[in-house]
Amino acid sequence: MPPSIGPRTDPKLSELPLPPLAQRHVAAVFDAALSAAPDRLAVRDPARQLTYAALYEEALALAGGLDRLGVAAGEHVLLMLDNHVDHVTAWLALSLTARVEVPVNTAYKGTILRHVIDDSGARVMIIDAVHGAVIAEVAPALLTLERLVVRGDWPADRPVPRFPDRLTVQRFEELPAARALPAALNPWDLIGILYTSGTTGLSKGVRVTHAHAYGYATPALFDAQRPDEITLCTLPLFHIGGQWAGVYKSLIGAAGAVVLPRFSATTFWDDVRRYRCSYALLLGAMANFLYRQPPSAGDRDHTLRRITMVPVIAQLDEFKARFGIEAVATGYGLTEGSTIVRAPLGYAEPGLAGWLRPDFEARIVDEHDQEVPDGRIGELIVRTRDPWSVMDGYHAMPEATVAAWRNQWLHTGDAFRRDGSGRFWFVDRLKDAVRRRGENVSSFEVESEINEHPAVLESAIIAVLSDSTEDEIMACVVLRPGGTLQAEALLEFLDARLPYFMVPRYVEFFESLPKTPTEKIQKQVLRSRGVTAATHDRGPTPRGRPR
């Protein structure tokens, strides 16, 4: 059980140091796991499972196949794969032999997909057959891709994709060859190029070193991960949450991970029971979906006891009590800059991101990079005390790299505040923040209040154009199955809970909200849609006073 703590107690992250920089890479992780427990479960999916010894050998056999194809150390290889053990072995085949993984979001298609493939400069791409059609659509225009390695059979209910003659196509199942030799890795070697969602322009490829990836995954070890722990991973492996905070975290701890195709609120607890999982990473939206499911007699009949939840939902205490969860952790991380802030198991609170890691520096600043006092909202900017622990820059985008590192600090693009005890509180994405009636409005805070309504499943707050120079607030709301609610009734509910300037003017109900494969709401899609004929308009709020 977690220790009994007060809300301002320092969890003393400084007493939980990272290993020496030289050991922060995949090869060192396997050296430790193979020495301690070669026959322990490393990873499984619904079809098969591998021990650490088997995973290591299978990854090196795949790497041997890449040797045969002439893929050199340092070369980029694209992976467009779903969640399964083969995805893990392919990623590790590249990482153990000093090649560079370029994971591709499986929802990408068209111009976005072509940009990622071309920008990476990769000659080889490994895909699941189900994604062949979207590759075929862009293949004639691709600049560098020469070989497609296809896992599985083409879907029987679709035409067989046709590719240009210059693109060689071969089966993934025929790729393994004589075992490759693992590389002598360094923490500064590139492990991957991860493309961030392009909300205001082309997606940017974040250049990630081995030390950076290790540092993102490691904070979960502050929770004293047990070797017999089984982590349930339902986030996509092309994303840092699935690959690093899920599987890689488990590998670093010489524990096990279960990889499932996707998150499902209706089958989640059945999966926990089936695989006897004791740890899971849940995005706040996922936790909310679980909490909104109808109560069941089996809600506490499972093995899950420890959770990392990001962000923490307002109903944390009720969630823990209902599902028998012993302790919840949270934190804040980003692809460019590792997991910077962490609240270990037992320290999570709604809105809290946690305490700064000892190997990082952080400031909260205004638009001119001037530090703001504790309690004031500003942008979180960071830098690391250890080399190679944040991004090596944006791939082939020097101007974007310089902009992100303005004044020699990495700018996160996220609004935070810090309290007098050194705790960091997430406020909003800067691009999602709303300026209304002379006040800054946190979409996160408004959404939290809307989600408190018993009829609401989830919501998203966006800024829409107003008649003045500032924003109006629109609430995009999904109701629980069978739930009924009128827009004005929701607004009256919020009147009693929020300052007048935070209560939305517009409300629209949706069957579902547009999301990424990682369950993040695509607010840019909602913003571009804006107010429609189906939107309820309450009318403007008089400035300076409540209704």
Side-chain angles (χ1 to χ4, degrees), residues 88-395:
V88 178
T89 58
W91 149 46
L92 293 172
L94 299 171
S95 300
L96 284 166
T97 55
R99 282 123 173 171
V100 180
E101 173 203 17
V102 186
V104 180
N105 189 316
T106 55
Y108 281 177
K109 57 185 176 181
T111 302
I112 298 173
L113 177 60
R114 189 175 71 224
H115 162 69
V116 169
I117 295 173
D118 284 343
D119 190 67
S120 74
R123 296 185 301 116
V124 176
M125 184 174 193
I126 303 174
I127 70 166
D128 275 308
V130 71
H131 305 304
V134 295
I135 302 297
E137 289 176 2
V138 301
L142 296 178
L143 302 176
T144 62
L145 193 66
E146 299 174 1
R147 183 177 295 268
L148 200 62
V149 181
V150 181
R151 176 185 178 273
D153 299 322
W154 301 119
D157 59 343
R158 306 179 198 175
V160 175
R162 298 176 62 87
F163 301 98
D165 292 340
R166 62 179 175 79
L167 189 61
T168 301
V169 180
Q170 73 173 79
R171 288 179 59 81
F172 175 84
E173 291 75 10
E174 299 171 355
L175 182 60
R179 180 183 189 272
L181 294 175
L185 296 174
N186 298 298
W188 51 83
D189 292 334
L190 207 62
I191 191 174
I193 299 175
L194 280 73
Y195 282 82
T196 61
S197 299
T199 56
T200 57
L202 292 173
S203 297
K204 298 187 286 292
V206 180
R207 294 172 58 86
V208 178
T209 66
H210 273 263
H212 176 175
Y214 189 104
Y216 187 98
T218 299
L221 296 183
F222 292 163
D223 302 330
Q225 183 174 25
R226 304 151 187 156
D228 62 346
E229 191 138 70
I230 303 296
T231 294
L232 181 61
C233 179
T234 59
L235 290 171
L237 293 177
F238 59 72
H239 185 268
I240 55 177
Q243 186 174 122
W244 298 348
V247 175
Y248 196 22
K249 178 267 298 182
S250 296
L251 299 180
I252 292 172
V258 174
V259 175
L260 298 183
R262 63 190 59 83
F263 169 78
S264 168
T266 57
T267 64
F268 180 84
W269 298 112
D270 289 335
D271 293 329
V272 168
R273 284 185 282 268
R274 180 178 300 114
Y275 300 108
R276 299 195 61 78
C277 297
S278 53
Y279 194 104
L281 170 65
L282 294 178
L283 300 182
M286 297 159 67
N288 183 58
F289 274 124
L290 292 173
Y291 182 72
R292 298 292 183 177
Q293 291 294 303
S296 164
D299 279 347
R300 296 171 64 93
D301 180 23
H302 55 79
T303 53
L304 192 65
R305 294 294 176 262
R306 292 142 54 95
I307 288 176
T308 292
M309 187 187 296
V310 183
V312 176
I313 61 175
Q315 305 87 354
L316 174 63
D317 291 339
E318 296 89 338
F319 183 96
K320 290 168 60 180
R322 174 179 168 184
F323 296 114
I325 304 301
E326 294 177 359
V328 176
T330 192
Y332 166 81
L334 70 165
T335 307
E336 290 88 340
S338 191
T339 306
I340 299 161
V341 176
R342 179 73 176 173
L345 284 166
Y347 292 80
E349 299 178 35
L352 177 68
W355 287 260
L356 183 67
R357 277 172 46 177
D359 53 326
F360 274 83
E361 299 176 71
R363 300 170 63 208
I364 297 178
V365 301
D366 62 18
E367 67 272 24
H368 303 295
D369 288 353
Q370 296 297 297
E371 193 159 5
V372 301
D374 284 348
R376 287 273 301 278
I377 296 172
E379 182 181 9
L380 178 68
I381 62 175
V382 300
R383 61 188 181 192
T384 178
R385 301 180 190 275
D386 291 344
W388 309 109
S389 296
V390 295
M391 74 168 180
D392 189 44
Y394 291 116
H395 182 66

